[in-house]
Amino acid sequence: MLPPPPSVLSYGIGVDSTALLIELHARGQAPDLVLSADTGNEKPETYDYLDIIRPWMRDRGIRFELVSYVPKRFKHWPPYFGILEMCLTNATLPSKSLGGSSCSLKYKKAPQDAFLKTWQPAVEAWDRGQRVIRLIGYDAGPRDTARANHALTIDDPLYDCRSPLRDWQWHRPRCMSRIEAEGLPVPPKSACIANKPDEIRSLPPWCLRLIVLVEARAAPRLHTVEGLWRKSTRTRPGSMTAFIRAEGLLGADEVDRIVRDAPTDLIRFQDVAAAIPVGERPKMGEWLDRFHLAFAERGRGHPDALAA
């Protein structure tokens, strides 16, 4: 008889996957590994939630790994890490804003797959001709049902994808109540960037500046979309910068300064870096540190999570 294949929870640090993790442990079916991918540009609340859920897993003997995509070849220099730095270096927006989904594949799925190829329990299972059980937090709601049905059409020789929340007929409210019953706070919606107007309104100034910076850097190459929100609707513009300006979330002078000066300064930084030997070139994170320093407000703290 063969030993059972290992199970891995693809943990998005959101409501569904957190409820799934809690309930699996309660049922005595905790995954052998919980695996998350850091895009380098998650919301601050998501990074804060890791400080809560990590100890919870540690106290229950559940192994947790946080991985990230590390590029080896760069279309443009200097070296960049994470979606934010990639957008600034290549003067573009995240693929979702352009109607694609390559960011999720590149910065979430790919680094998890790369880690599992080195994880001994997975290697041994594959050597036995088994598939690793990949647990995904799709709930029983209509949106996740469509996503789950699409996933079922993909025949992966390495993984057996399962969605226990759908088997249990758990919708999002049930997931939230399960997290609260565990005595844990409900995590924020997991996303690489705030998407809804209320989410934008709740961001600290340093996050708002990054949004303005990304749109300003990409502006010369935008022909089919207005900004991170793509197209205008009756309730909001397609540009988050326009929304930030209209709502007065940043001062008009500050927005103007970022739009006018930051892209030019960044291009100059890249030009200087290109003339420096590859092994000695400064990284994009160094320019970001300088950007934050120039706009820093006393008492606001330093945004280490996204500037690292």
Side-chain angles (χ1 to χ4, degrees), residues 7-13 21 31-39 50 53-55 57-58 61-69 107-108 111-121 134:
S7 61
V8 179
L9 172 60
S10 294
Y11 185 49
I13 322 176
L21 170 61
D32 298 295
L33 174 67
V34 176
L35 191 58
S36 292
D38 180 10
T39 65
L50 277 176
I53 200 65
R54 264 177 166 154
M57 288 186 280
R58 183 192 61 231
I62 300 173
R63 181 177 176 182
F64 172 68
E65 294 288 343
L66 183 65
V67 298
S68 59
Y69 171 73
Y107 287 92
K108 292 185 177 181
Q112 292 188 54
D113 288 349
F115 178 86
L116 290 173
K117 288 180 179 178
T118 67
W119 185 48
Q120 195 60 30
R134 176 170 258 168

Side-chain angles (χ1 to χ4, degrees), residues 20 25 59 62-63 67 84 98 132 135 170-171 173 183 191-192 197 199 221 233 244-245 280 295-296 299 307-308:
L20 176 56
H25 176 265
D59 292 345
I62 300 173
R63 181 177 176 182
V67 298
L84 170 65
L98 302 174
V132 173
L135 303 167
W170 282 25
H171 290 68
C192 295
E199 293 175 339
R221 300 180 61 184
T233 68
I244 290 169
R245 189 189 293 273
E280 303 172 14
F295 289 93

Side-chain angles (χ1 to χ4, degrees), residues 41 75 82-104 106-107 192-193 195 210-231 237-241:
N41 196 38
K75 182 178 180 181
I83 294 177
L84 170 65
E85 295 186 11
M86 180 273 293
C87 289
L88 294 176
T89 302
N90 297 330
T92 189
L93 298 179
S95 62
K96 187 174 182 180
S97 298
L98 302 174
S101 59
S102 62
C103 282
S104 291
K106 183 175 182 179
Y107 287 92
C192 295
I193 193 168
N195 285 316
L210 288 177
I211 290 174
V212 176
L213 172 63
V214 168
E215 289 193 337
R217 177 71 172 109
R221 300 180 61 184
L222 298 184
H223 304 293
T224 60
V225 301
E226 300 169 37
L228 288 164
W229 272 330
R230 301 188 68 189
K231 302 287 187 178
S239 164
M240 289 187 186
T241 298

Side-chain angles (χ1 to χ4, degrees), residues 20-31 56 60-62 182:
L20 176 56
L21 170 61
I22 292 170
E23 185 63 16
L24 285 171
H25 176 265
R27 297 186 182 203
Q29 302 170 3
W56 185 93
R60 288 155 182 79
I62 300 173
E182 188 68 16

